Structures are given as structure tokens and as C-alpha cells.
Amino acid sequence: DIKGIELIETDIWDYQPAAQFDCAVGSLFFHHFTDEQILELINRLRPFVRRSILINDLHRSALPYLGCAIFRPILPWQAWHDAMLSIKRGFKPDEFQRLLEKIDNAHIKTNRRWFARVSAEIRFD
């Protein structure tokens, strides 16, 4: 445990915290959801989060496709197939920005990050 930080593993759709927390972090799973599910999830979290939701996910671009092509001969079929689906479902920063801007009364900032990642900060202040 890190002092002052509590890690909780639960089903987010059933989670009812006793008090608000400062920040929620989601990493490398948003690409598995539809746009509607992403917005629903963020709206589900919003009453519990005081300041922000931070997202790290896959950036849809040529680089990850190239990486998968290079490593295809040594990857098991399931791993390669999952990687290709995940890349296809990843986000371009401008598209992710437009999607997240549908959230009312929030400040949204998306960025490209190193090694085929995109980040988003959703602030509620």
C-alpha cells in the first residue's frame, strides 16, 4: 500500500463508494467499449470523483500495425488477433477529444503519448 492511496478492485457498475475520491484512473481498457459505453462509464463515475478522470489507452496509428506485422511470426495467433483488434479499436486523439467533449461541465484534454498511446484528462473543476 502507498500511504494515502487505496486501490479497489470491483465491478464498476455495482460500486457504491462511501465517500468521493479525488481521481479515477482507467488504463488500456476503454478501447473495448463502444462510444456510448465510454460516456456511460464516465457519467457513472462522475458523482464519485471530485477532480478528474485520467485515461491511458491505445493510439490507433500505423506504428502499432507495423509492430504487429513484424512480430506476427513469433506471436501466438490469439495474441496477434487480440492485438490487431485492440489497435483497430484504439483512439486518435482528435476523435477521442470530440467524444469526451460530449460530457457536460467538464474540461477535456487529450494527447498523443509515447509508444502508441493516447491520454485523456477529464477535469470537473
Side-chain angles (χ1 to χ4, degrees):
D1 284 341
I2 300 171
K3 188 176 179 177
I5 296 177
E6 179 184 1
L7 297 177
I8 300 167
E9 184 178 339
T10 187
D11 182 335
I12 193 60
W13 304 110
D14 297 328
Y15 182 57
Q16 293 294 326
Q20 282 187 314
F21 41 88
D22 292 326
C23 181
V25 179
S27 186
L28 296 175
F29 67 85
F30 280 83
H31 64 272
H32 291 285
F33 294 142
T34 65
D35 288 356
E36 294 77 21
Q37 290 170 323
I38 290 169
L39 296 174
E40 183 180 352
L41 175 59
I42 291 167
N43 286 322
R44 167 83 173 106
L45 288 172
R46 188 165 188 165
F48 311 135
V49 178
R50 274 193 287 271
R51 295 188 182 149
S52 61
I53 297 174
L54 306 175
I55 299 170
N56 167 52
D57 217 298
L58 298 175
H59 178 222
R60 189 176 70 248
S61 66
L63 180 61
Y65 284 111
L66 178 61
C68 279
I70 290 170
F71 288 104
R72 173 63 187 112
I74 62 171
L75 288 174
W77 182 86
Q78 296 89 344
W80 177 81
H81 180 71
D82 181 62
M84 293 303 291
L85 282 177
S86 292
I87 293 165
K88 289 176 185 175
R89 293 179 178 167
F91 303 97
K92 292 197 175 278
D94 59 331
E95 294 170 355
F96 206 28
Q97 177 80 28
R98 283 193 300 276
L99 171 64
L100 298 175
E101 284 176 349
K102 295 178 182 178
I103 301 165
D104 292 331
N105 301 315
H107 303 281
I108 312 299
K109 182 177 180 184
T110 57
N111 289 297
R112 287 183 62 188
R113 298 292 179 191
W114 186 78
F115 201 70
R117 297 291 188 263
V118 62
S119 68
E121 177 184 12
I122 305 166
R123 289 185 297 117
F124 302 124
D125 49 31

